[in-house]
Amino acid sequence: MGFKVAVVGATGNVGREMLDILAERRFPVDEIAAVASSRSLGTEVSFGDKTLKCKALENFDFSGVDICLMSAGGAVSKEWSPRIGAQGCVVIDNSSAWRYDSEVPLIVPEVNADAIAGFAKKNIIANPNCSTAQLVVALKPLHDKAKILRVVVSTYQSVSGAGKEAMDELFAQTRAIFVSDGVETKHFPKRIAFNVIPEIDVFMEDGYTKEEWKMMAETKKILDPKIKLTATCVRVPVFIGHSEAVNIEFENPISAEEARDILREAPGCLVIDKRERGGYITPHEAAGEDATYISRIREDATVENGLVLWVVADNLRKGAALNAIQIAETLINRKLIAPKKKAA
């Protein structure tokens, strides 16, 4: 017997990706529902070779649903996830609403799958920030080998991380520049076309942005609270795929060659690292792929035990939709949930 799954936020970038990945991976679904706000009622979305009509969240009954993949934003999740969880449905939430709650596991299956058992306290599991997910997949096997002390990361984040309107803005601005029209800025604080913006999310009192703070807090919760991390998060004019330049300081010695061998064997990682022209991965090549790609592995001579990496992944997949579905698969594989019995 398969599971009944609801995707909340089914009309958004990540919601649509969730439906695509559920079909691609042949997730054991008996019944699937596309759910969105009332203004999207009746909107059609694809699930494999089927077309689903969106149902309104406000009127949807979750009591017969086994798994809810929530991708409707933090405010919606804050209100609805506890209600849905109370009906016996496990919520896997893609927003930041529950990531820092001590009673909600924050999971990247390749990194801390054992922590998933704590979901029963609230029936909610949190998905990490897109930039954090790919980072910890690369850090985990290296941490196991040589113990990470400090990480300095600079991100190059695509506009899809800010939603469909942000993607539309990059497209419209690029076209306007080519035809010498006026460039209109709505979503971003400055022009994004042919530019980079070192501001993602709101500024905090210490000068860091909320996106940078998320990476610090989430890496500690997922991987190791003792790791020190500092980040600079930058939006770049790329449609899909986040890239990260990662500088790591270890307690114990580790060579670039050792790191390369470890990462080649690590779950979720794919090493593309030839020391020649074009011998690395770019976000364009990572789009539509499941792996976290690692390139430019080299030693940092400025610290005693240091490495530098280039890490790239599709932010809509590993950074969001794929990770959520891998969490659901982990629940099933570990027999932590079973399909609800259907009424006679």
Side-chain angles (χ1 to χ4, degrees), residues 38-103:
S38 55
R39 67 179 179 273
S40 295
L41 180 65
T43 299
E44 294 186 344
V45 292
S46 298
F47 172 65
D49 57 2
K50 298 178 182 176
T51 299
L52 308 176
K53 287 192 175 181
C54 285
K55 300 177 181 180
L57 172 62
E58 295 82 355
N59 304 317
F60 191 79
D61 180 9
F62 287 91
S63 60
V65 177
D66 301 300
I67 299 167
C68 170
L69 300 174
M70 173 73 71
S71 186
V76 173
S77 180
K78 204 75 179 172
E79 178 183 354
W80 284 92
S81 291
R83 295 192 203 176
I84 296 167
Q87 294 182 61
C89 174
V90 180
V91 179
I92 301 171
D93 179 44
N94 192 56
S95 79
S96 61
W98 302 98
R99 292 174 188 158
Y100 317 109
D101 188 313
S102 61
E103 295 187 331

Side-chain angles (χ1 to χ4, degrees), residues 130-142:
C130 47
S131 49
T132 306
Q134 68 188 67
L135 177 67
V136 295
V137 168
L139 293 183
K140 165 66 172 171
L142 301 177

Side-chain angles (χ1 to χ4, degrees), residues 155 157 197-216 231-234:
T155 72
Q157 295 180 224
I197 302 173
E199 176 188 349
I200 301 179
D201 213 326
V202 297
F203 277 97
M204 303 177 74
E205 285 187 9
D206 60 3
Y208 284 88
T209 65
K210 188 72 177 291
E211 184 83 358
E212 293 156 354
W213 177 84
K214 288 175 191 173
M215 293 192 76
M216 300 175 208
T232 301
C233 293
V234 182

